Amino acid sequence: MSPDPDPALRTGNHWGLGRPVLRDGRLVEVRPHPADPWPSALNGNIAGSLGGRARILRPAIRVGWLENGPGPADGARGREPFVEVDWDTALDRLAEELGRVRAAHGNGAIYAGSYGWGSAGRFHHPQTQLKRFLNAVGGFVRSEGNYSYNAALVLLPHVVGNYRDHVKQATRLSNIARHGELVVMFGGFPLRNTQVSDGGLGRHRIQGALRDCAANGVRFVNVSPLKGDADPVLNAEWIAPRPGTDVALMMGLAQTLIAEGLHDRAFLDRYTVGFDRVAAYLAGQVDGVAKTADWAESQCGVPADRIRDLAREMAGKRTMISCAAALQRADWGEQPLWMTVALAALLGQIGLPGGGYTIGYGVNASVGVMDRILRPGALPQGENPIADYIPVAMVSDMLLTPGGAYDYNGERRRLPDIRMVWWAGGNPFHHHQNLNRLRAAFQRPETVVVNDFNWTATARHADIVLPVAAPEERRDFVCGKQDNALIPSPALVAPPGQARTEYEIFSDLADRLGARDAFTEGRGEEDWLRDMWARTVQTAAGHGIALPDWGRFMASGPIELPDPAPDRVFLSEFRADPDANPLPTPSGKIELYSEVIAGFGYDDCPGHPVWMPPRGVADGTARRFPLALLSGQPEARLHSQMDNGGYSLSQKIAGREPVLIHPADAAAHGIADGDVVELFNDRGRCLAGARVTDAIAPGVVFLRTGAWYDPDPDDPQARDRHGNPNVLTHDLRTSRLSQGPAAQSAFVEIRRHDGPAPAVMAHEPPAFA
Ligand SMILES: Nc1nc2c(c(=O)[nH]1)N[C@H]1C(S)=C(S)[C@@H](COP(=O)(O)OP(=O)(O)OC[C@H]3O[C@@H](n4cnc5c(=O)[nH]c(N)nc54)[C@H](O)[C@@H]3O)O[C@H]1N2
Ligand SMILES: Nc1nc2c(c(=O)[nH]1)N[C@H]1C(S)=C(S)[C@@H](COP(=O)(O)OP(=O)(O)OC[C@H]3O[C@@H](n4cnc5c(=O)[nH]c(N)nc54)[C@H](O)[C@@H]3O)O[C@H]1N2
Ligand SMILES: [Mo]
């Protein structure tokens, strides 16, 4: 594949458009694109990372696997050097191994859930490529759900309806600007997170929409341990409950509404079921504890008077309750979701302009400002003959305890016996919790294959590593899952070294397995792109939209499609006529009590919202490790992607990830701003750089995700040198209902690191034999 002769100078990524600067056939910089009023600074990572020392340039095989063949690795994965090989050697050995695993154990022994964001681009989407290839040769065990909002995906269909509809149909911020008076944001609305939208975006809109709300006098309350979770232009009041206690706070608000007769009985009667069960629980009739504002203060630390005043204000104003996705990425993460719905139901404003609730503002750049009117053409994945799957956050359990039984959304299931693991477009050594346990789990399979363009920690823990072309090195078109822009994305430069597109790799591999025709259907990349675009043109025509042909599209700028519902109010149709527009729940109404969930008999997710303190508080761990660790999304990168790029590096302290700590906690530990510190608990330890700030609540430390995991296997607990929070988080799940990840419920202790700190090795290539 050669670079376009006359590249329209544009690149499209999950964080939006960029204006590339090319010099001598090399990408030297990606600048803000003039079409985007609020361009993302993440473009500043691209050139440095794609041209960085960690770039995978040639196929590589772990030395022990190359010499001795497949088998459990007993600590060698992530430790042993690699040998660089040519493509024929890599693909011959991989095809042979695929044949062996399929013959000996069947395709049900291949795990290719391959969870992760990969990169934008409709055709080169890595998971689609991998799944299409594996489906052509007998299938694979997949994963279900995600790390973003798994509890919402499983819980909300029982309570209100599909969570993805919540996100797409979220009440528009423009509607709040016109009709809203108060927005109470549990988990805030961090602007840093609104840089990205899954699949890409044309322009960033949230900044402008929030400014309009502020200009119209809407009042914002930021309920979060981080002051910066609200844009300063909002002038938000800051309330900082202890992490993991929002449910108690919400219950204190709810019980105040009920005690003072401020709840909307007519709404509850007409639109919900189960209010009496919840009211009985809040009144203390179930466990003897009334969930009053005073009780809430004892759990969450917010003064009772403040809770009572806020409840009254919420009842007196047009109020939007916003719940960040992070709150359900925690122990019992279903509860804040269910309680958000319950609290909004008590206020009775669901379905009214500017009021009700939203779960997921800030989860990407599109929620509340845009939706996609049509689904552009995609590369078909084919059919997977293997039905088996795991809930995505059970990957370590799967590898460590094959055959183990578990509960999931009313089912009793068993974990598969996996021999081969394949990841393309995700980084489990970024996204999964308790990385020391994952490291042990990754020794178990007989073969681990990873496709990536950088030597991530996951690539380092593989046996066979395949170098792929990055977005700027391949021709594609970009369209986000919720954005309205169709973006031509030309190949700007050639892939370095021997890197190839995944389509080329899988075509050649399929050839070795007698499945080339099944995989390619006789088409090359450009044929597929034209085919996918032709289907997009056809779908658009069905909406009365005329799109140019492929050639003219690729030579043009992004095309913006109309917003299907510019003044959307979530659940307004249901509110207008609940009989004609029932919810897809068993009762057709909002289920504040769910017979279905109650029938599952889960003590960790009973039939209505309940308060349960985080595991670490309940079991006393928090007394030994007194700081609550939050690990939110990083401002300077997308997850772990391009951590070795210039913008990400510019925010490090002594080359390490910054950890935010309150001045009182810093003083108590003898820590000064800029010190190298060590965070530790029973699961692991890591170094980080201290950032002392009163913009974080006392008792909480905040270490952003995404610093490439950099374990030193010779240190106790294989201490991570770089600052990856997932060495400290547990990988227990939210509950038996949804088995979602619960990363936000971790407790740690901190100390200053004295003496010389070890060099960070994560951005260097691994050792080659
Ligand atoms: N502690 C803690 N952990 C968390 C979270 C948290 O809040 N706290 N958040 C969680 C959330 S919400 C998420 S979504 C996950 C994110 O977890 P991931 O999505 O796994 O993280 P990424 O860093 O985006 O990983 C994508 C990988 O794909 C690679 N890649 C990009 N393009 C291509 C391509 O074309 N082909 C191939 N083969 N590879 C490509 C990138 O280089 C990168 O290594 O993390 C989760 N982990
Ligand atoms: N720049 C950038 N943007 C991103 C991403 C990225 O990697 N980089 N990732 C994207 C992805 S995949 C996702 S899923 C979304 C995630 O979107 P969110 O889940 O909304 O983001 P987080 O940063 O995990 O959490 C938001 C805030 O919740 C607060 N919080 C955490 N725990 C608690 C708690 O117990 N109580 C209260 N009241 N507040 C709490 C934290 O202060 C944190 O800043 O972000 C997306 N946006
Ligand atoms: Mo996510």
Side-chain angles (χ1 to χ4, degrees), residues 34 91 150 195 266 308 316 425 432 481 497 545 553 555 599 636-637 649 698 706:
L91 296 184
N150 202 72
Q195 295 178 79
R308 280 185 284 264
H432 196 56
K481 283 193 181 141
I545 301 165
F553 168 60
R637 56 187 172 259
L649 292 177

Side-chain angles (χ1 to χ4, degrees), residues 401-640:
T401 55
Y406 66 97
D407 290 303
Y408 177 59
N409 200 14
E411 275 183 68
R412 186 82 181 149
R413 301 178 53 87
R414 286 200 176 276
L415 293 165
D417 186 358
I418 294 300
R419 307 304 172 110
M420 181 178 210
V421 170
W422 196 328
W423 235 285
N427 187 358
F429 281 88
H430 160 75
H431 64 235
H432 196 56
Q433 283 61 64
N434 198 347
L435 291 183
N436 278 329
R437 186 165 184 257
L438 183 70
R439 241 157 49 90
F442 254 61
Q443 307 302 325
R444 294 293 189 93
E446 289 157 13
T447 296
V448 178
V449 190
V450 169
N451 305 12
D452 209 307
F453 51 76
N454 273 328
W455 278 106
T456 63
T458 302
R460 287 164 191 269
H461 285 84
D463 302 313
I464 302 178
V465 177
L466 305 178
V468 305
E472 286 69 21
E473 300 155 3
R474 62 199 193 196
R475 185 170 155 91
D476 211 333
F477 70 102
V478 165
C479 178
K481 283 193 181 141
Q482 223 185 315
D483 192 59
N484 68 329
L486 298 164
I487 302 164
S489 186
L492 302 166
V493 292
Q498 293 176 21
R500 309 171 75 192
T501 66
E502 258 133 346
Y503 190 73
E504 293 170 318
I505 297 170
F506 289 127
S507 300
D508 283 356
L509 203 51
D511 195 41
R512 286 166 165 80
L513 296 165
R516 179 182 276 273
D517 286 348
F519 180 71
T520 66
E521 297 178 36
R523 291 175 175 154
E525 294 186 0
E526 190 68 10
D527 303 317
W528 278 113
L529 284 164
R530 283 175 186 280
D531 173 77
M532 287 164 55
W533 183 253
R535 280 183 282 133
T536 310
V537 171
Q538 203 178 10
T539 310
H543 286 81
I545 301 165
L547 293 177
D549 66 24
W550 173 244
R552 277 193 296 139
F553 168 60
M554 283 306 284
S556 78
I559 297 171
E560 298 205 85
L561 301 174
D563 181 349
D567 200 28
R568 168 80 72 191
V569 173
F570 182 55
L571 295 184
S572 56
E573 296 87 352
F574 169 63
R575 179 168 192 122
D577 190 342
D579 303 315
N581 307 305
L583 298 178
T585 57
S587 61
K589 297 186 180 187
I590 296 170
E591 303 223 340
L592 302 182
Y593 179 86
S594 163
E595 296 282 357
V596 174
I597 294 178
F600 296 157
Y602 299 152
D603 55 356
D604 54 5
C605 189
H608 61 78
V610 293
W611 162 244
M612 293 175 281
R615 287 175 171 108
V617 172
D619 68 16
T621 325
R623 282 197 295 276
R624 286 195 296 131
F625 301 105
L627 295 168
L629 169 73
L630 296 182
S631 47
Q633 311 301 327
E635 193 269 330
R637 56 187 172 259
L638 173 61
H639 314 133
S640 69

Side-chain angles (χ1 to χ4, degrees), residues 146-166:
N146 62 31
Y147 281 75
S148 309
Y149 37 68
N150 202 72
L153 287 172
V154 180
L155 174 81
L156 287 171
H158 296 291
V159 175
V160 183
N162 186 333
Y163 180 62
R164 294 193 200 277
D165 290 341
H166 277 69

Side-chain angles (χ1 to χ4, degrees), residues 177 221 254 257 308 325 389 448 467 528 728:
V221 179
L257 294 175
R308 280 185 284 264
Y389 67 85
V448 178
W528 278 113
L728 301 159

Side-chain angles (χ1 to χ4, degrees), residues 84-146:
E84 294 189 314
V85 298
D86 57 32
W87 273 109
D88 277 340
T89 306
L91 296 184
D92 286 347
R93 292 292 298 265
L94 181 48
E96 187 190 331
E97 173 61 358
L98 266 169
R100 183 194 71 85
V101 171
R102 288 162 66 211
H105 308 286
N107 283 65
I110 302 172
Y111 180 65
S114 214
Y115 178 76
W117 270 56
S119 47
R122 298 290 296 171
F123 175 70
H124 292 287
H125 183 243
Q127 279 84 0
T128 305
Q129 293 280 345
L130 174 62
K131 290 174 182 179
R132 179 177 168 84
F133 164 72
L134 285 173
N135 286 341
V137 297
F140 61 96
V141 175
R142 65 190 171 87
S143 60
E144 196 166 280
N146 62 31

